Amino acid sequence: MNNKTIYLLVLILGFWGCGSEQAKKELNPIPQFKLQTNQLASSWDEAIPLGNATIGALVWQRDGKLRFSLDRADLWDLRPMENLDFKKYGFNWVREQWEKDSYQTVQERYDLPYDQLPAPSKIPGAALEFDVSGLGTVESVELDIATAICTVKWQNGALLKTFVHATEPIGWYSFENIDGELNPIIIPPAYVSLQKATDSDPVSGQDLRRLEYDGGRVTQKDHTITYDQPGWSDFKFQVHTQWKTSPTSLEGSWSISSENAKGKTKVSAKQLVTESLQQGIAPALQSHKDWWTAFWKQSTISVPDPILQNQWYMEMYKLGSAARKGAPPISLQSVWTADNGKLPPWKGDYHHDLNTQLSYWPTYSGNHLNLEQGFIDWLIHNKPTFKKYTKEFYGTNGLNVPGVTTLTGDPMGGWIQYSFGPTVGAWLGQHFYLHWRYSMDRDFLKNEAYPWIKEVAIHFNELSVLGEDGKRKLPLSSSPEIHNNSREAWFGDMTNFDLALIKWTYSHAAELALELGLKKEADQWQTALKEWPDYAVDETGLMFSPSLPYNESHRHFSHLMAIHPLGLIDPSNGTKDMEVIEKTIANLDATGSSQWVGYSFSWLANVKARAFDGEGAAKALKDFATSFVLPNSFHVNGDQSGTGKSNFTYRPFTLEGNFAFAAGLQEMLIQSHTGTVHLFPAIPADWKNVGFSQLRTEGAFLVSAKKEKGLVKWVKIFAEKGGKIRLKNPFQHKDILHDDSITHSWDGDTLIIKTHPGQEIRLNP
């Protein structure tokens, strides 16, 4: 079998007509999309991914055996990171070492333990294997993303259907047309081995044996297998599978459960599987399909570039498999931890200096706020932990968040300019703001969004000092991940990264305070905003900081945060801002992509879309989709194409580049961050036929639109909460057909419509 598995992407979408009844009927076509190949993948990171944000599976083959790599999101070794003594070695101590040029002591205390110690870390579950050698040659492997079901066919007529239930921690497998025994076995991860542990690189993954676990226990009786594994301290997990057979078929299910003496008692995997088999696969399959049908009705797109369209649907499929209310948020690899005898890259942790933020970008305009809710709930739940860290490390009241955290929100160390960065809480605060603006949930605004952003502003108030120019500044500033982990990665002047997040925090604290009728607090935040300097700009656009121009290729576009995602520098502000944007992007392009990774291209697409550069945005997305993903759509950081788009050619799998891709394509189709909705603001000139259904805007409006032969044919708006919607005229003139009952007016070329909750509006030229 070849090492490289090539998947064929097949997508069939209904064509949207412009007639009212036909458009209404075909507004939410479920994609008949299939990821297809003629063989099972021979590498875990090219496997078929299945999941529901709590458990996941990768379907592939190893040594001739069909293999399901099983995972659960809360499988974590949570031993405390050594040397994190904030009371003795806090931010002031770090600054003192930086000033004395003895920064090596900081690296030894806070950075080396992350690199050298195996935990805390996400850990893998187990594998389920079937000896399918007797079935002969595989004919086809297919993932139907409409139903999230993987089907494997053999040339002899044997058939496997397998899925992870959309909402329950249960996986199912069903074999048909088989002859003889095909019973599964459970393969524990290589936590214990007679061989000496090797490999301590956190990027490629540390050897599992370095965790020094006691061996797990696998017990088998009749048609059941149970694997019980103790972890660190009182943590343990259980993997269980159970099946029933007939002369020509086998049907079974599996689950993973975790247990911690400090937590609540959970139902064991054995109990879950036993109960599921009693009910049978049929009701589970139906409820599973119902969930995915509802998921795909949330939003759809139709663009003429099949590479971009196929990739978007794969990204949204993975989003539906990796994010959920009630489950842990998306970590670096979510529920698809490496199955290679190692810990996952970067310990599979939560990186908040880019990774978690980008992972949730598509949930907003993609109309999946229910999936984003899991991330918001996790941040709220761990807020006391974050405030404790803020007080102990920074000595400030208010709120910041460690840039690298465990499942429980505790700091992990690493390159502390970013893992302990002073503005991490501000970037996470944008998700609270976006959740409010896209949902218009006033209870959330009052109880969660404004309090979070307000407390981040308090942290900045207390941490900042007056500079020589009379403006406020941070004692030390940083710009991920400029200068990597050297002393120079701390800046004595303000980086544009930190400055943009601080300005965003104060301006949006003022906005939300006013929305809540707290004028005095709003005035306070506006006054504080004026105390900070302007952005560092030279003839090439935005700089890293006043002392460092953008003069080197770098993967993290930290210097242009004010453009995207924060929208502080925006074309809507006039020609001055547009000039800065154009110069910054031109310099980014001219400096080149030699040091970029996959997410850089996804992020660039979002940036270019904000600048209304459709061709540039589409090219960046295509570069990502053709060079930085594996055949199963997983983003692997390095350039896999051999075309020299980046000097990074390694392949550690992470998800943020995938989800930023989806957001970039959505940004090309609809934008509302300025308070005015723009339809098709950044599509290439040759995209004559393009459309979307139920993309969400700020203000909680669901918008659908169709462009045909270069002209917008119709627009449909659903006002979820009511209120005014400002819509930049998408038609060629102001002679628009609409329901005579709507209340509207014009502000230049912007149509203003007053709506009431639940109102639907249809516009035609």
Side-chain angles (χ1 to χ4, degrees):
M1 183 174 288
N2 296 333
N3 290 330
K4 193 73 171 178
T5 302
I6 305 300
Y7 289 101
L8 174 66
L9 305 176
V10 181
L11 178 61
I12 306 170
L13 280 174
F15 187 79
W16 301 350
C18 59
S20 177
E21 289 305 312
Q22 184 179 0
K24 190 172 183 180
K25 185 183 298 184
E26 298 183 359
L27 192 59
N28 291 312
I30 300 174
Q32 301 303 306
F33 179 99
K34 303 181 191 304
L35 184 66
Q36 296 177 333
T37 181
N38 61 2
Q39 61 185 8
L40 287 161
S42 57
S43 172
W44 71 271
D45 56 4
E46 294 188 16
I48 296 288
L50 305 169
N52 65 10
T54 295
I55 64 169
L58 295 166
V59 182
W60 57 299
Q61 69 88 27
R62 191 172 77 171
D63 299 329
K65 294 180 175 63
L66 174 68
R67 187 175 177 96
F68 297 171
S69 302
L70 311 183
D71 193 16
R72 183 178 167 102
D74 62 3
L75 298 187
W76 265 80
D77 185 312
L78 289 172
R79 72 188 72 181
M81 176 64 77
E82 293 184 10
N83 294 347
L84 297 189
D85 186 350
F86 295 153
K87 293 181 179 179
K88 290 183 180 179
Y89 305 99
F91 183 67
N92 287 335
W93 173 80
V94 172
R95 181 170 52 82
E96 290 170 1
Q97 308 315 303
W98 180 82
E99 290 174 344
K100 293 189 298 185
D101 200 9
S102 56
Y103 195 71
Q104 182 178 352
T105 59
V106 179
Q107 295 169 324
E108 291 171 350
R109 172 157 294 278
Y110 285 143
D111 309 332
L112 292 182
Y114 181 91
D115 290 342
Q116 297 177 352
L117 297 176
S121 176
K122 177 75 176 69
I123 59 175
L128 201 61
E129 281 195 348
F130 301 83
D131 186 352
V132 294
S133 57
L135 300 182
T137 303
V138 169
E139 179 180 293
S140 65
V141 179
E142 175 184 287
L143 171 64
D144 179 5
I145 73 162
T147 59
I149 296 173
C150 173
T151 301
V152 182
K153 295 180 181 179
W154 283 263
Q155 291 181 2
N156 72 348
L159 181 73
L160 163 69
K161 288 186 179 292
T162 182
F163 64 95
V164 169
H165 193 277
T167 59
E168 303 297 327
I170 294 285
W172 287 88
Y173 51 89
S174 175
F175 289 88
E176 301 174 11
N177 306 326
I178 58 175
D179 183 15
E181 293 290 321
L182 194 62
N183 296 334
I185 60 172
I186 290 180
I187 309 294
Y191 291 124
V192 179
S193 173
L194 296 177
Q195 299 179 12
K196 185 178 179 181
T198 60
D199 203 341
S200 60
D201 181 7
V203 176
S204 62
Q206 298 189 26
D207 193 314
L208 287 176
R209 292 167 294 188
R210 300 185 71 238
L211 295 171
E212 298 183 343
Y213 286 171
D214 293 333
R217 183 178 75 254
V218 178
T219 57
Q220 183 166 356
K221 182 179 180 181
D222 298 327
H223 286 176
T224 69
I225 310 175
T226 306
Y227 162 49
D228 291 287
Q229 175 66 56
W232 178 81
S233 186
D234 55 6
F235 179 78
K236 56 187 176 181
F237 67 90
Q238 181 182 87
V239 183
H240 181 81
T241 188
Q242 191 168 327
W243 64 96
K244 53 187 179 182
T245 62
S246 74
T248 60
S249 68
L250 180 150
E251 179 183 294
S253 63
W254 61 268
S255 184
I256 306 180
S257 60
S258 62
E259 185 178 340
N260 189 314
K262 297 178 182 178
K264 297 180 180 179
T265 302
K266 297 181 179 179
V267 179
S268 70
K270 184 176 182 179
Q271 183 178 344
L272 284 167
V273 171
T274 300
E275 292 175 355
S276 71
L277 274 183
Q278 289 174 351
Q279 297 172 5
I281 194 172
L285 181 59
Q286 187 58 55
S287 60
H288 168 78
K289 287 182 175 180
D290 289 346
W291 189 93
W292 278 99
T293 297
F295 172 84
W296 289 116
K297 286 183 177 180
Q298 290 294 102
S299 61
T300 61
I301 69 165
S302 177
V303 300
D305 188 317
I307 292 176
L308 303 192
Q309 174 131 320
N310 293 349
Q311 190 71 32
W312 185 85
Y313 274 98
M314 279 305 301
E315 308 308 14
M316 300 310 283
Y317 165 78
K318 292 197 293 294
L319 182 66
S321 303
R324 198 76 89 252
K325 179 177 173 59
I330 301 169
S331 58
L332 292 180
Q333 293 86 27
S334 187
V335 289
W336 301 303
T337 300
D339 182 12
N340 58 359
K342 297 181 179 182
L343 294 172
W346 294 284
K347 304 182 180 181
D349 58 31
Y350 294 96
H351 270 53
H352 306 298
D353 66 344
L354 175 146
N355 303 76
T356 55
Q357 290 93 328
L358 271 62
S359 290
Y360 287 93
W361 279 356
T363 62
Y364 301 105
S365 63
N367 193 25
H368 288 291
L369 295 185
N370 58 326
L371 302 187
E372 179 251 9
Q373 187 69 52
F375 185 38
I376 293 291
D377 290 345
W378 182 84
L379 291 170
I380 294 169
H381 176 76
N382 290 302
K383 194 172 180 180
T385 300
F386 303 149
K387 288 177 69 68
K388 179 176 181 288
Y389 153 78
T390 305
K391 188 67 174 179
E392 291 183 351
F393 182 72
Y394 281 102
T396 62
N397 296 299
L399 177 66
N400 193 24
V401 177
V404 179
T405 69
T406 67
L407 174 70
T408 53
D410 292 301
M412 292 178 62
W415 295 0
I416 71 165
Q417 302 90 335
Y418 329 115
S419 65
F420 297 163
T423 57
V424 176
W427 195 348
L428 294 171
Q430 190 191 26
H431 288 280
F432 282 81
Y433 176 80
L434 293 175
H435 187 89
W436 146 244
R437 285 294 300 149
Y438 280 85
S439 71
M440 299 306 289
D441 181 340
R442 290 196 67 84
D443 287 339
F444 179 81
L445 163 66
K446 179 181 178 181
N447 298 325
E448 306 297 349
Y450 179 58
W452 181 286
I453 295 170
K454 174 181 177 178
E455 292 196 60
V456 173
I458 291 171
H459 163 64
F460 293 149
N461 280 351
E462 297 187 10
L463 184 63
S464 61
V465 297
L466 282 177
E468 295 179 359
D469 59 357
K471 295 288 187 179
R472 299 207 72 81
K473 57 175 286 189
L474 298 177
L476 288 178
S477 185
S478 66
S479 190
E481 298 163 345
I482 307 306
H483 295 324
N484 294 331
N485 189 33
S486 66
R487 176 183 178 274
E488 289 69 33
W490 286 113
F491 290 74
D493 50 15
M494 283 295 298
T495 64
N496 275 335
F497 173 80
D498 281 340
L499 183 60
L501 286 165
I502 290 168
K503 284 177 173 284
W504 183 92
T505 297
Y506 283 120
S507 62
H508 288 73
E511 176 189 330
L512 299 191
L514 273 180
E515 182 70 29
L516 291 170
L518 305 173
K519 187 176 185 307
K520 185 176 180 180
E521 292 189 25
D523 291 343
Q524 172 190 341
W525 304 130
Q526 286 288 2
T527 299
L529 175 62
K530 296 175 183 177
E531 296 176 349
W532 293 82
D534 292 332
Y535 301 107
V537 178
D538 65 7
E539 66 277 2
T540 64
L542 287 168
M543 308 165 68
F544 289 121
S545 80
S547 60
L548 184 65
Y550 183 85
N551 57 4
E552 60 175 296
S553 178
H554 198 279
R555 58 193 172 274
H556 196 303
F557 300 158
S558 56
H559 67 301
L560 50 67
M561 287 283 294
I563 299 174
H564 184 276
L566 300 180
L568 299 173
I569 299 176
D570 190 82
S572 64
N573 296 331
T575 56
K576 183 179 179 181
D577 275 22
M578 193 63 194
E579 182 179 348
V580 171
I581 293 169
E582 289 175 343
K583 287 182 176 180
T584 301
I585 294 176
N587 189 35
L588 201 65
D589 288 338
T591 306
S593 62
S594 65
Q595 301 302 305
W596 293 9
V597 292
Y599 71 68
S600 311
F601 290 85
S602 294
W603 192 351
L604 179 65
N606 285 269
V607 173
K608 292 201 170 187
R610 284 284 175 95
F612 307 133
D613 178 5
E615 281 77 10
K619 181 182 183 303
L621 292 180
K622 186 165 288 188
D623 285 343
F624 173 86
T626 58
S627 299
F628 294 87
V629 299
L630 296 178
N632 65 346
S633 83
F634 278 179
H635 161 239
V636 287
N637 283 270
D639 183 359
Q640 307 300 303
S641 68
T643 58
K645 290 184 175 65
S646 172
N647 291 346
F648 287 104
T649 57
Y650 63 167
R651 52 184 283 172
F653 156 51
T654 61
L655 283 162
E656 74 290 327
N658 289 123
F659 297 135
F661 173 98
L665 188 49
Q666 292 163 203
E667 200 79 14
M668 296 169 66
L669 299 174
I670 192 167
Q671 295 179 24
S672 64
H673 63 281
T674 64
T676 298
V677 176
H678 292 245
L679 304 182
F680 310 113
I683 61 172
D686 61 350
W687 283 19
K688 302 300 184 182
N689 299 311
V690 57
F692 57 85
S693 73
Q694 295 200 144
L695 294 184
R696 181 176 285 266
T697 73
E698 292 193 13
F701 297 97
L702 300 181
V703 181
S704 306
K706 173 65 180 176
K707 196 168 192 176
E708 189 176 278
K709 297 180 180 179
L711 300 177
V712 176
K713 305 299 290 185
W714 55 264
V715 177
K716 185 176 180 180
I717 301 167
F718 175 76
E720 192 172 80
K721 296 294 179 65
K724 288 183 181 179
I725 180 171
R726 294 175 56 89
L727 176 67
K728 184 176 175 62
N729 189 4
F731 304 112
Q732 289 186 302
H733 48 72
K734 293 184 178 181
D735 186 12
I736 299 173
L737 297 175
H738 55 76
D739 186 341
D740 291 337
S741 66
I742 72 169
T743 302
H744 69 284
S745 60
W746 288 93
D747 178 10
D749 65 348
T750 299
L751 177 63
I752 304 172
I753 305 173
K754 293 182 180 180
T755 69
H756 55 76
Q759 183 176 7
E760 280 194 359
I761 298 167
R762 185 177 180 87
L763 306 175
N764 293 82

